[in-house]
Amino acid sequence: MMEEEVAPTTLSVSSHSIKVTEAVKDGDTLTFLVVSQKLSGTGEYHVDRTYDDFDWLQQHLFSQEDVPGIQGVIFPPLPAKAQVNASAKVIKQLGFLAMGQEWQPYCMALETYLCQVAAHSTLSKNKALEIFLTSAEPPGRQKVRKNIFNRLSQAVEGMRKEGHKDVDEFFQTERDHNLTLTGSTKTAAERFLDVVQTEQKIAMACGHFSTALHLCVESGDEPEKQAFNKICVKMSEVFDSMGKNTASVAENNVSTLGLGLDLESRYQEAEKEMLFRRTCKLVELETASRNAERAKPLKKAAMEELKKAAEKEFDHISGMAKQEIARLQGVRVEMLQQALVQWCEKQLLTARESADRYNQHLQAFRGMA
Amino acid sequence: MATSSERSPPPFPDSEDQELLESEEVGAQDSEDDDDVDDPFLGASSPPLTKMDTALPETSQPSDVSTEPLIDIMNDPLIEPVSHTEDKPASEVVSEPSDDFVDLANNETDAAGDEVEAESAVADAAKDTTEIPLDEPSDDFVDILGSETEAAHEEVVAEDVTIEVLPDSSEVTGGITDPPSDAITVSNAEQEVEEASSAPVVDISIDSPADNTQQPPVSDKIVDPLVDLISDAPPTDVKNPSQPPMDLFEDDPSDLFMEPRQNISAKQPQKSLFDEPDEDLFSEPLGATSKKTVNVVSSEQKDKLVATKGAGNVSGVGVGVGGPLNDSYIGEPADIFTEEAVATAPSAISTSSVGSKTNGVHSEEEADIFAEATVELSLDSPRNDRKKNVMTKPSASASASASAAPSLSAAASLSKPQAATLEELEEEEEEDKFEINISITNPEKIGDGMNAYMAYKVSTQTTLPMFRNKTFTVRRRFSDFLGLYEKLSEKHGPNGFIVPPPPEKSILGMTKVKVGKEDPSSAEFVERRRAALERYLQRVVCHPSLLQDPDVREFLEREELPRAVNTQTLSGAGFLKMINRATDAVSKMTIKMNESDVWFEEKLQEVESADQQVKKLHGLVDSLVGHRKELSLNTAGFAKSVAMLGSSEDNTALSRALSQLAEVEDKMEQLHQDQASNDSFSFAELLADYIRLLGAVRGSFDQRMKAWQRWQDAQAMLQKKRETEAKLLWANKPEKLQLAKDEITEWEAKVTQYERDFDRVSATVRKEVLRFEKEKARDFKRQIVKYLESMLQSQQQLIKYWEAFLPEAKAIA
């Protein structure tokens, strides 16, 4: 039944208009409001989706076995599951996505995911996406079977096949490159997360200091006291604005470069997975060709058949993979550039703002005399 | 005295009076001579008292009750004085002349000699007087009155004489340092007094000149009463037989005036010759003349300078007295004033000038210290008025007032020198425009290993005339700074001053430095300490009183400073703990202090809460600084990882941008680091300073509490002594009574002293706290301005970095 539904269709919504506007806490689960504009007219689809629904979509995208070379597709990475009272481990896994108020970064990550899926030439044809975006009924509530792309099995196999020598120079280089990039992107994201977290701490500390300064205000109307009180209040303001400034710097960091690095990191992972799938296929193909060579004449034909099928599939995958890698290259550079430019602009903005504010405070203090 | 016997016929009124007077006198002398001269004075003082007691009952209405004690008195003291005056004072002077009078600032031996002379004179005179009234009880006094008027006429001339005489007498007293001569002079005086006008000039030179100047024209008869005057005079406090002295010392002005008033009212209706002259003679003219004699004596002791300054009239002598008295009474201006008040009291004319004098006192802005005195003075004046009424009738009163007038002016002028000195002090403290700037530079490690220490260059730039040069530089090690603090806090702490505390010793930090690793943390430690020491010294020299301290000057100026010892024990946390423990103990001890001054109560609470707040702030700033350091570290990490990312990036534009970003982040790291140290230096250090300073403020409050406690303890002790006295009175044990009275006087003086100490400390603390608050506001403001300036700068730097990076990012695609 499911197979029928997943017949290729064109998406009825504009891929750029997809928005995950907010996350609503419903007990322990988070419900995301997904808004998309109809291509046909002026209407909008508003649907409530949980993480399970997103996961359902992702599984459906994975399991489009009828699409040739599907395994060569770099699937847009779905963020890890967010929880309301997330444990430290989950938060660590989420990284930037766990930051901020009201899961804003997480919503943005989901939004990016949906946009990427909808913009994908192959994946956007999947009926599951259409259902996900338009159906009033939440689709993912029933248990979905885990397919072969299950991360667990992948990890087990990975140990064996990761280092398999590639036949294609291009893929070999890509694999090596991907490995280093994955590592360094991850580190960069983590380091940047540290920076942001420290900034948040500073913002907090400034806030505390500001509050404490406010408490220093002494009652009484002697001129000395009044003067000191004024200084305390003013200083409290200074630190308050400093805290706010730092907080907004941190927020900007998260919403721009933070998310960018996070997405980059997840995309690298996705590419790695794709490459791994291809490697698996390669291993499969090699086994098949070996088997075909060694096969007894009786079974030779069947083996050849198998080998041919594998070869065909592998070629499909490789072709798709090459396309995907090229596409990803463009996407991620653009994405990173955007993140960097936005980040830079926002930094400039806040820096200017706070410079202005400090200047005001300074003038105020000088004028106090 | 007579009145007391009239008024109150208790079982032993006279003896009581005597005791009181004696104790009073002893107290006064204690305060003057610091207990040591008790004996001579005791002996010396008793005679006049007995004389008075004896004389008065005789002249007025010797009641049955009074006769009994009279005999006692006659027996005891009259016999005593002879031995005392001849033996004891002399021996005293010989044995411990200088020690006894250490308090008398200037010339101890002279003073001793003089005192002894005075005493002996008193004793002798006492003898005479006791005889006189017995011989010619009533008529004598009338005569005296007459002669007094004469004397008054003579006054104008006499004044001149006194001035001339003064040097002589001072010479004489100077020569008197040797005790035997004392005895001689005493006997001389005795004889001469008896012989009266035969050799007046000699008299003058030997005895108190002021009185003698009055004496010459007076006949034999008159001489005797005048001798009375003289004899009464030397023991200043005995001079007013009518109990005021006691009251003075009790600080109970109402009492003081109660009795005299009663006396007067009692006498006025009677209008008996005996009474009025009695009163006049013994209270007023006696007081006046006694004043003079004392004045003369002490002025001789002290310095001719003052005398010559006041020369031209008798009041000059008074001034002379004022000066020296001030010196000796340094802690007890009120006493001086009360005495003066008594002296002036008799003079009816004086009331107005008394008023002016009180005004003058007020204008000196030392209300606290002078309050007592002024109150008493103003209370005196009504009494004076009343007295005037009484006295206007007998001509003696006129003379008395005439003679008293100079002494009043003396008193007025007396108030001036002291007030002047106080004013000077005030001025010194108000002086706020001094130009002094201290910088500490070149921290340098001297020596190796654990014996190594840091030396700092202390450079002073000043325009203050108190320093020899405009700029000078010395090298000081850390323990020298601690040593300076030790000295200052020892000297100024108990007075309620807030002595700025230096940074604590840090064993950890210093050990790191000593071990000699050139790591950034030890460099930071040295720099932090250098800055803290600089701030500490700045605070010290900004304090007007501390700047005047010779130790401060020595610290700044002297090339080599004796090595400060025992600062080791003050190191670091131990030092703080010690202080905390001490303050805790003190606060526990004085927890019972019922604060009379709301200001202090509130301020203490404020200081305590401020202490808490500042500590909290300090903790917060510390964590902020920690976070900033962390940020700097993380930024460095991020920069590194971005550089890595850039190097592994295929896209050349992206790779380039990323490596650019790495550079930006490297600069940013520096910025964050600067920010961290800026936070640390601007606020953490400032707050740490203020934690220490608030500790010092609390310390000054504790000092005030201690002063209060001392005062309270003294009061409790006085109460106990009084109870003992009462018990002894009922038990009728006169021999022990004397001791009890002595003790009471002693404790009364102490109570007065401690109360004044407390008031003084309170005033200082008040002023210091206000000053501290002003400084605090200024410090914080200055610091925040500095901080904001640097923040602004770093933001501008940040903007520059980003502006430079933005085109790179845009160029990626």
Side-chain angles (χ1 to χ4, degrees), chain A residues 177 198 225 332 352 366, chain B residues 606 634 648-649 789 803:
Chain A
H177 184 224
T198 318
K225 240 187 239 171
R332 63 176 278 270
R352 283 192 183 121
R366 282 190 179 139
Chain B
E606 268 172 33
N634 286 337
S648 55
E649 179 56 57
E789 276 166 359
E803 275 173 347

Side-chain angles (χ1 to χ4, degrees), chain A residues 122-138:
Chain A
T122 318
L123 301 179
S124 60
K125 295 191 182 86
N126 196 304
K127 190 87 171 80
L129 181 63
E130 175 74 18
I131 293 167
F132 180 88
L133 289 175
T134 55
S135 167
E137 283 287 302

Side-chain angles (χ1 to χ4, degrees), chain B residues 379-408:
Chain B
L379 282 168
D380 266 332
S381 34
R383 180 198 166 201
N384 290 345
D385 288 335
R386 236 168 249 135
K387 279 270 160 70
K388 191 180 171 185
N389 295 338
V390 184
M391 291 181 338
T392 40
K393 280 162 214 162
S395 52
S397 65
S399 75
S401 59
S403 62
S407 72
L408 161 84

Side-chain angles (χ1 to χ4, degrees), chain A residues 234-299:
Chain A
K234 211 85 193 82
M235 241 162 94
S236 167
E237 280 170 26
V238 168
F239 273 90
D240 188 50
S241 64
M242 195 187 298
K244 279 187 183 139
N245 168 43
T246 319
S248 69
V249 166
E251 205 182 302
N252 292 340
N253 286 351
V254 171
S255 65
T256 57
L257 191 63
L259 277 182
L261 283 173
D262 177 70
L263 185 61
E264 163 77 1
S265 166
R266 278 185 291 123
Y267 253 115
Q268 295 294 345
E269 284 288 339
E271 191 193 351
K272 195 173 161 192
E273 274 170 32
M274 184 276 287
L275 289 169
F276 176 70
R277 288 196 298 271
R278 195 192 140 270
T279 313
C280 288
K281 211 74 216 170
L282 177 66
V283 172
E284 201 180 304
L285 172 65
E286 278 171 0
T287 321
S289 50
R290 258 203 310 281
N291 285 348
E293 271 170 38
R294 286 190 220 140
K296 288 164 188 162
L298 190 67
K299 282 183 182 173

